Amino acid sequence: MAKAVAKAASRSLGLLISKCKAKLINGGFQYCTSTKLFDTLVWSVIDYGASIWGTRDFSCINSIKNRAIRFFMGVGKYTPNMSLYGEPCKIKQWTSVFRNWTRFNKMNDDRVNKKVFIWGNTCKKVKNWHFRVKNKFKELDMEYLCNGAILNKDLVKNIENVCFAKFKEEWYDKIMSDDKNKLRTYRMFKNVYGVENYLIFNIPGRYRSALAKFRCGVSPIRIETGRYENIDIENRLCFNCTDDVEDEKHVLLNCPVYSDIRNVIFNHASIVDENFLHMTDNEKFIFLFTNENMVFYTAKICYEILIKRKCILYS
């Protein structure tokens, strides 16, 4: 059932993406619009029947959400999923399941649906829907809800918040424990789960895409392209500075090829924070990517650097 729902949702998402591409001339749809469209046109399809099959995590369902986020951010398929997480599908699925549990418990005992629910609940040593729901309650330290307690909207919302808090802890642990260098940049300034300013602000889609690629470690510079050639990290050198690895920090802060572009953003950063020029490279890098007053300028410089690099190497 989940696979059938995923196919239908994929078609809906394809239609949404085609409409967005027509809009990309003017920068594409912004965050609020894109989120609303996804929830209305795509998630409404996924949510159908989620109260039954939603007790499990399905890769086919998660891939729909990841595909939508990748398109909005303007990044490729090799972008790490850990840097793409929006509101987790499994939490939305469990919310539907808990609401269904509530409906069954409130239902009159003479109804066929309720009789089937009671029968399923009495089946022993069977890993059915009831078994998985009860295990979830135990996992959340809410085992008292297994005994037929009737949930209300506030309690369901509270369960959802507990699930979300648990997910954020797992997400943070994975971000910090992942030894893959794809997240080398991302973990420097991303330690709180939430929507970033550059996604919410009204900036051109091409700027947002360039900034997202730098943040997620998938920008087309040597540190990333060298991966496809099986070159060791220490040998992925800048085409101009042959003694330095061409990573995000080098390109933004040190490489002389982009000094004219860099001076513009450094001047603006000095206005925002007068101590900017006295910061270390790490502090400057984090400041450029996290200060909300620098979002547009950082996105613009990332885009201009990629364009200039491409012109130098391939023109």
Side-chain angles (χ1 to χ4, degrees):
M1 184 175 182
K3 290 180 179 179
V5 167
K7 288 181 180 179
S10 181
R11 292 192 293 269
S12 297
L13 179 59
L15 176 62
L16 177 58
I17 288 176
S18 66
K19 298 298 182 183
C20 288
K21 285 182 176 179
K23 180 72 173 177
L24 278 179
I25 299 175
N26 299 318
F29 294 123
Q30 296 304 313
Y31 176 79
C32 292
T33 306
S34 298
T35 303
K36 185 68 174 178
L37 288 172
F38 179 84
D39 289 340
T40 305
L41 301 177
V42 182
W43 186 257
S44 59
V45 177
I46 297 176
D47 198 41
Y48 179 77
S51 57
I52 302 300
W53 56 261
T55 56
R56 296 178 181 176
D57 199 18
F58 294 93
S59 59
C60 59
I61 298 297
N62 295 330
S63 64
I64 301 295
K65 189 69 175 284
N66 291 338
R67 179 186 168 196
I69 295 175
R70 281 192 175 92
F71 174 76
F72 175 73
M73 291 174 61
V75 295
K77 62 181 179 180
Y78 296 114
T79 307
N81 288 337
M82 294 302 299
S83 60
L84 295 175
Y85 274 131
E87 186 178 356
C89 294
K90 60 182 180 181
I91 292 181
K92 285 189 171 184
Q93 291 172 200
W94 274 111
T95 301
S96 297
V97 171
F98 294 141
R99 287 172 180 164
N100 198 35
W101 178 276
T102 302
R103 285 194 295 269
F104 278 129
N105 278 303
K106 289 182 177 180
M107 200 175 290
N108 294 330
D109 291 344
D110 59 344
R111 294 188 59 179
V112 175
N113 291 357
K114 184 61 175 287
K115 291 179 180 179
V116 173
F117 175 77
I118 295 173
W119 170 79
N121 197 24
T122 56
C123 293
K124 303 298 183 183
K125 298 182 180 181
V126 177
K127 295 184 178 180
N128 56 10
W129 185 82
H130 296 82
F131 174 84
R132 291 190 288 272
V133 174
K134 289 180 178 179
N135 273 355
K136 189 65 176 180
F137 284 141
K138 293 176 182 178
E139 180 186 328
L140 300 175
D141 295 326
M142 295 180 173
E143 195 170 355
Y144 66 93
L145 296 175
C146 298
N147 301 320
I150 296 179
L151 309 182
N152 53 40
K153 290 183 179 180
D154 293 336
L155 189 52
V156 170
K157 186 65 178 178
N158 184 45
I159 297 173
E160 184 179 350
N161 292 336
V162 173
C163 290
F164 196 66
K166 187 175 181 63
F167 164 79
K168 287 194 288 187
E169 291 178 2
E170 295 173 352
W171 170 86
Y172 180 79
D173 291 340
K174 289 180 181 179
I175 287 290
M176 294 304 162
S177 64
D178 195 326
D179 58 354
K180 297 180 179 179
N181 66 325
K182 279 266 191 181
L183 298 174
R184 64 192 172 274
T185 304
Y186 191 74
R187 65 163 63 94
M188 289 180 64
F189 44 76
K190 182 68 173 180
N191 50 25
V192 177
Y193 184 89
V195 182
E196 292 297 316
N197 290 327
Y198 80 100
L199 297 175
I200 300 175
F201 290 169
N202 186 11
I203 62 177
R206 61 185 184 278
Y207 293 172
R208 179 172 62 237
S209 174
L211 181 57
K213 289 175 181 176
F214 271 82
R215 287 175 59 96
C216 299
V218 292
S219 54
I221 57 179
R222 195 62 171 165
I223 188 68
E224 175 63 13
T225 58
R227 177 193 308 278
Y228 312 134
E229 305 172 59
N230 292 322
I231 300 175
D232 293 335
I233 294 177
E234 59 273 14
N235 294 326
R236 300 174 190 176
L237 303 178
C238 176
F239 69 90
N240 182 68
C241 314
T242 53
D243 294 329
D244 296 319
V245 175
E246 189 186 30
D247 57 11
E248 294 83 5
K249 192 187 303 182
H250 173 75
V251 168
L252 283 172
L253 302 179
N254 299 315
C255 187
V257 172
Y258 314 108
S259 57
D260 54 334
I261 301 174
R262 185 181 304 113
N263 290 336
V264 176
I265 194 172
F266 274 26
N267 291 335
H268 184 77
S270 300
I271 296 174
V272 175
D273 188 334
E274 58 185 14
N275 296 319
F276 175 78
L277 295 178
H278 302 291
M279 296 179 182
T280 64
D281 281 355
N282 278 345
E283 290 172 339
K284 288 178 181 177
F285 191 72
I286 294 172
F287 177 83
L288 293 176
F289 278 96
T290 57
N291 189 288
E292 64 178 18
N293 296 318
M294 297 300 301
V295 169
F296 178 83
Y297 298 94
T298 304
K300 184 178 180 181
I301 192 178
C302 289
Y303 173 75
E304 292 179 351
I305 284 175
L306 293 180
I307 292 298
K308 185 170 184 178
R309 184 182 188 278
K310 182 177 179 181
C311 290
I312 293 174
L313 292 179
Y314 303 111
S315 63

